[in-house]
Amino acid sequence: MLDTNRIRKFFPAIESGRILSNNAASTQVPIQLSDLLKELIVQYDNVHRGQSQSSIVTTEIFESSYDTIAQFIGAPSRKNIILYRNTTEAINSVMYSLMTEFKNGDNLVTTFMEHNSNYVPWYGLTKEILPKFGINVECRIVKFDKETGQLDLNHLASLVDEKTKLVCCVGASNFLGTKNSIKKISKIANSSGYNQPNGEKKSYLLVDGAQMVPNVFVSIKELDIDFLAWSFHKMLAPFGVGALYAREELLEKMKPFLYGGDMIAEGMVSPEKVEYNTLPWKFTAGTPNILGTILSAQALRLLMDFSLNPGEFLYFMTNKKLESADIKIVMENIEAHEKALIGEALKILEEIPSLKIFGPKNPEDRACLVAFNYPGISPFKIAEELDKQGVESRAGCHCATLAHHYYELDPPASCRLSFYVYNNIEDVRKACLAVKEYIEYIENTN
Ligand SMILES: Cc1ncc(COP(=O)(O)O)c(C=O)c1O
């Protein structure tokens, strides 16, 4: 289990008295990263664009950040990691890069539990972009069970066929909390028989890992994923950087998403021909988010240290390779901690008569978040009242708009509490008891 008491001391936001319970949106930044930012600001220069010591050193730290990120998910090397602004941009980059590969009559499969980031790009591609070129591609949507919040894998299997170029699904839903079985989904995608241009006979699998990578152990090799997208602002880093993992052979063949400087091979631009840089820089057009990249990699290293032994820095600001055995322990600690928190949250919230709690009942099956509605009270009103008690929640559709319509919610909204590594059981109790007290107050005054 995590030593939350020690971890909490590193977060000025907690020291200031906030009850941080909207972590599925974004997490808070530890003091070590804000100190590091101050140090870097006086040392840095642009990367790949200077001969000064400053530029050389910044380039080294920047490039090695890609190694850290690759190691964290068990990817073979930095060549598999492309950095963008966030999960949304990473998924869009796949959409744009694969756009020219779709053939008339193809289909792609996504689910009703997706964040808009992993539905709207596919809507745009299949309903707006490809038809303009006379290419018709069907976008098929997999159902989930409204009671259990589980994805209907039989329905998924029935929608995937030899015309399915791509299967897209969320690793863990940011509304239902459901953790999907990626291994089972990748098996279905792998056996579709679709003829990919590189000769492979399978559908590609793209996983939206925004709520998965920060919370569970991810090993690319074990899960057999072709594309994985996630954001670092949900795992202790500041805003601004998201990652795309992809298999090297796919990235080698794929069209660049953005064109311009630094993504070209040095000197290889002429009116007739442009040659692209080696991976991963082929996908890094323009000056990247240098500081954000360094802080994101160091956030992973800190997460390792916080989970293993808070206050001791085995990984943070070192060149130590992230050992997969350690990553497993780190993420299993985090999962165990989150199960305890979400178990407590469910226990308290389930005591509220008529409260509709969305998603799996068993904490084993959920990410560390819970969304709910109470008949006759707007989720926005609940969130406002919680805020008056110092409890930070989020009301709305959480960009899981399809799923809210699937439940026929009007307005398409729910109130959500979500926790992370620095939350303790008291935070959960305070947040959930505030929900209970407010609803009891309304019931008693009506
Ligand atoms: C499941 C899921 N996918 C995608 C996103 C989008 O992430 P970003 O805003 O960093 O692009 C989120 C953010 O809440 C999410 O929870």
Side-chain angles (χ1 to χ4, degrees):
M1 289 291 270
L2 299 184
D3 186 346
T4 339
N5 281 343
R6 282 164 74 199
I7 294 175
R8 288 168 78 81
K9 296 204 167 62
F10 300 125
F11 289 84
I14 294 181
E15 298 281 284
S16 76
R18 288 172 62 189
I19 302 170
L20 303 171
S21 35
N22 186 22
N23 297 286
S26 286
T27 53
Q28 297 292 320
V29 176
I31 190 81
Q32 289 84 356
L33 290 186
S34 45
D35 287 348
L36 176 59
L37 176 62
K38 279 185 217 146
E39 273 176 44
L40 291 169
I41 286 251
V42 292
Q43 300 171 8
Y44 83 87
D45 198 350
N46 208 326
V47 294
H48 307 149
R49 291 160 175 85
Q51 280 64 41
S52 67
Q53 263 311 302
S54 179
S55 176
I56 292 165
V57 171
T58 311
T59 300
E60 270 170 23
I61 309 175
F62 170 76
E63 290 194 351
S64 67
S65 298
Y66 280 68
D67 299 333
T68 299
I69 295 166
Q71 288 158 18
F72 189 76
I73 57 157
S77 85
R78 68 169 70 162
K79 290 184 182 169
N80 301 97
I81 302 297
I82 313 296
L83 297 183
Y84 291 113
R85 286 186 304 152
N86 47 39
T87 307
T88 307
E89 193 170 87
I91 294 175
N92 271 273
S93 77
V94 178
M95 188 271 273
Y96 280 106
S97 291
L98 290 183
M99 188 185 289
T100 53
E101 291 189 11
F102 277 90
K103 298 193 298 285
N104 201 28
D106 280 357
N107 66 69
L108 64 82
V109 173
T110 180
T111 86
F112 273 104
M113 63 167 76
E114 297 311 304
H115 188 283
N116 289 333
S117 305
N118 204 18
Y119 172 66
V120 180
W122 308 118
Y123 167 90
L125 179 72
T126 57
K127 303 266 194 296
E128 294 182 350
I129 300 172
L130 291 177
K132 291 247 182 306
F133 299 95
I135 297 170
N136 289 312
V137 171
E138 190 187 348
C139 180
R140 301 176 171 174
I141 313 181
V142 183
K143 294 185 285 195
F144 64 86
D145 186 305
K146 282 186 189 168
E147 272 313 303
T148 65
Q150 298 292 347
L151 194 64
D152 184 340
L153 292 181
N154 290 331
H155 189 223
L156 173 76
S158 74
L159 295 184
V160 174
D161 59 26
E162 73 287 352
K163 293 283 184 189
T164 308
K165 179 163 180 75
L166 185 68
V167 175
C168 309
C169 79
V170 73
S173 155
N174 69 326
F175 162 46
L176 304 166
T178 315
K179 287 177 182 167
N180 281 325
S181 171
I182 300 303
K183 274 190 192 168
K184 287 187 185 158
I185 297 170
S186 73
K187 253 193 185 158
I188 297 172
N190 282 344
S191 55
S192 74
Y194 181 88
N195 284 315
Q196 298 288 357
N198 62 358
E200 287 181 295
K201 273 178 95 67
K202 58 172 270 182
S203 308
Y204 293 145
L205 174 62
L206 181 152
V207 175
D208 169 355
Q211 302 293 344
M212 180 171 85
V213 178
N215 304 302
V216 296
F217 174 66
V218 170
S219 158
I220 283 298
K221 277 177 229 127
E222 275 177 33
L223 295 179
D224 205 0
I225 296 172
D226 299 293
F227 302 101
L228 173 70
W230 78 99
S231 296
F232 294 97
H233 67 90
K234 295 183 196 290
M235 48 192 321
L236 308 183
F239 303 110
V241 183
L244 175 72
Y245 155 86
R247 288 196 288 128
E248 191 179 331
E249 60 269 33
L250 299 182
L251 290 171
E252 288 291 359
K253 293 261 158 55
M254 275 161 58
K255 298 266 177 292
F257 164 46
L258 296 168
Y259 293 77
D262 212 34
M263 51 77 72
I264 41 103
E266 190 67 26
M268 302 308 284
V269 177
S270 71
E272 293 75 34
K273 188 162 173 57
V274 171
E275 281 180 34
Y276 302 124
N277 207 337
T278 50
L279 290 173
W281 319 120
K282 169 183 169 188
F283 290 92
T284 314
T287 297
N289 184 345
I290 299 164
L291 295 179
T293 300
I294 297 170
L295 292 177
S296 295
Q298 293 306 324
L300 297 181
R301 289 179 170 274
L302 264 184
L303 192 67
M304 299 277 294
D305 288 335
F306 285 168
S307 175
L308 292 173
N309 195 357
E312 276 193 20
F313 298 109
L314 184 63
Y315 283 106
F316 180 59
M317 292 306 285
T318 70
N319 291 326
K320 186 172 161 54
K321 177 177 180 286
L322 272 54
E323 300 295 342
S324 69
D326 278 353
I327 303 168
K328 199 158 197 287
I329 295 170
V330 161
M331 296 314 288
E332 283 174 358
N333 280 347
I334 292 175
E335 257 197 287
H337 172 73
E338 294 188 344
K339 267 178 210 160
L341 297 187
I342 204 65
E344 183 68 11
L346 290 174
K347 200 175 96 197
I348 299 172
L349 294 174
E350 277 164 1
E351 285 168 6
I352 307 173
S354 306
L355 189 78
K356 167 71 187 165
I357 300 173
F358 298 96
K361 304 272 178 294
N362 187 346
E364 296 283 328
D365 300 333
R366 343 180 129 236
C368 205
L369 60 92
V370 55
F372 49 84
N373 268 344
Y374 190 80
I377 310 181
S378 151
F380 295 95
K381 183 74 184 143
I382 299 177
E384 277 165 31
E385 289 303 320
L386 291 181
D387 190 48
K388 287 184 195 156
Q389 309 300 319
V391 173
E392 298 173 8
S393 66
R394 178 178 178 192
C397 68
H398 324 294
C399 295
T401 318
L402 280 181
H404 280 74
H405 287 307
Y406 195 67
Y407 279 105
E408 296 172 18
L409 297 174
D410 183 18
S414 57
C415 183
R416 183 184 72 186
L417 295 168
S418 51
F419 305 97
Y420 201 44
V421 291
Y422 38 62
N423 288 117
N424 56 22
I425 214 91
E426 284 76 38
D427 288 342
V428 173
R429 286 188 186 133
K430 274 185 207 153
C432 296
L433 288 173
V435 176
K436 195 170 177 208
E437 279 159 22
Y438 175 61
I439 287 172
E440 281 170 0
Y441 165 77
I442 293 286
E443 284 299 334
N444 293 335
T445 49
N446 274 344

